[in-house]
Amino acid sequence: MISAAKWNISVFNDMDHDSLFRYFDRHKRPYNPNSRPDYSAQRNIGAGLMSFSDIDVEETVMDGVHGEWILRKKACVKGRTIHGVVLFLHGGSFVRGSRSTDRAFCRELALNSGYDVYSTDYALAPEHPFRQGLDDCFNVYRRLCETLPNGSSCIVLCGESAGATMALAVANYAKRECVALPKGIILISPCVQFERSLPSHTQNLGTDCMLTNFMEEVLAEYFQTKDPDLLKDPLASPLNGDFTGFPPVYITASDCEVLRDDAVVLHEKMVVQGVDCTLDMAHGLMHVYPVMTALDESKAAIRRICGFMERI
């Protein structure tokens, strides 16, 4: 797992994909429960805020959870753009990251999709184990449903890595609580279950430049249990949800990353259950490559994601 320092994007602006891949691969470290990371310090390393001249960033709080609107300059009143709002959930193995971690990616969505983007914080482990962070994300989603003029019909849920897991879990949560589902869901390298190791979790350890024994870390720091009943819950392992009636879903991952099979099995189940689900499987690219916005491969992925958003 790469520490929060990886998100100092300015260091990477002049790197191509292969150079960046090698950089991450040199710096990844397996999780060691006997020498646990200082998560607070790692979050502080990644706390620098990126600023851009072509967007407005408006800090706000929803239900006690901090977040930020990312709006095109001279955009309409927030939440009232042509298409709607993207609720974005950052990654970081449920222990790292913040609302500003993926600001560059959220900017690209706001500039190229016609949507406003709302990027939210959520409670992080180990201080706040499951399901406090998920409750935060769901409460923000529900508040947007209540306050936006068109409610859930103008909201797209989007997340990367742990944030993608959260986004799918929020949709499962909404279905359980009889809250309207969003207009669409975008999942960038999700992990969809924590009950067992899928083949790519071991097969791709040598080709994933970021993830190592991530599941051990998540079980120890986020879930803080191996209780099989808890891990089967669709709010914990969102693959176990019933996707009947779900909106269109776009999943993207890479064939060389540890989480390849999570994307594959999720796509297969959604198709069987009648969901309009697209699987965009890249070849040889790094985990969550679409959020590395300086890369040509990311720019192409963002065009495909925005095309999905336009279609729905």
Side-chain angles (χ1 to χ4, degrees), residues 113-276:
S113 70
Y115 285 71
D116 290 342
V117 180
Y118 187 74
S119 179
T120 188
D121 283 340
Y122 51 86
L124 295 175
E127 301 92 332
H128 306 285
F130 177 82
R131 64 183 204 200
Q132 294 180 51
L134 177 59
D135 285 338
D136 284 346
C137 294
F138 174 71
N139 289 336
V140 169
Y141 172 73
R142 181 165 54 186
R143 178 56 58 91
L144 286 171
C145 290
E146 293 169 351
T147 57
L148 293 174
N150 296 317
S152 67
S153 66
C154 69
I155 300 173
V156 172
L157 277 170
C158 178
E160 56 98 354
S161 196
T165 308
M166 284 285 198
L168 187 56
V170 165
N172 286 340
Y173 205 157
K175 188 169 185 178
R176 176 180 293 185
E177 296 297 316
C178 298
V179 173
L181 291 169
K183 178 181 183 179
I185 304 172
I186 298 166
L187 306 173
I188 301 170
S189 296
C191 183
V192 297
Q193 61 80 42
F194 297 94
E195 302 165 76
R196 65 191 189 281
S197 178
L198 297 173
S200 63
H201 292 181
T202 53
Q203 291 173 359
N204 285 356
L205 282 173
T207 56
D208 192 315
C209 66
M210 291 188 188
L211 299 183
T212 53
N213 57 334
F214 77 98
M215 191 172 286
E216 184 179 354
E217 181 177 35
V218 172
L219 291 173
E221 305 293 348
Y222 176 55
F223 290 114
Q224 299 183 16
T225 181
K226 294 183 180 179
D227 177 2
D229 290 333
L230 183 146
L231 296 177
K232 289 177 183 177
D233 190 317
L235 302 189
S237 293
L239 178 67
N240 295 334
D242 175 11
F243 304 128
T244 306
F246 263 48
V249 176
Y250 184 94
I251 308 166
T252 182
S254 172
D255 61 0
C256 73
E257 68 169 307
V258 163
L259 296 180
R260 176 199 66 201
D261 289 348
D262 290 75
V264 171
V265 298
L266 177 62
H267 175 255
E268 290 174 348
K269 180 174 180 179
M270 286 191 160
V271 169
V272 167
Q273 294 189 347
V275 180
D276 175 1

Side-chain angles (χ1 to χ4, degrees), residues 112-113 250 301-312:
N112 294 291
S113 70
Y250 184 94
I302 290 168
R303 287 194 294 270
R304 295 193 296 273
I305 290 169
C306 289
F308 167 80
M309 294 165 67
E310 178 69 25
R311 176 172 69 82
I312 63 172

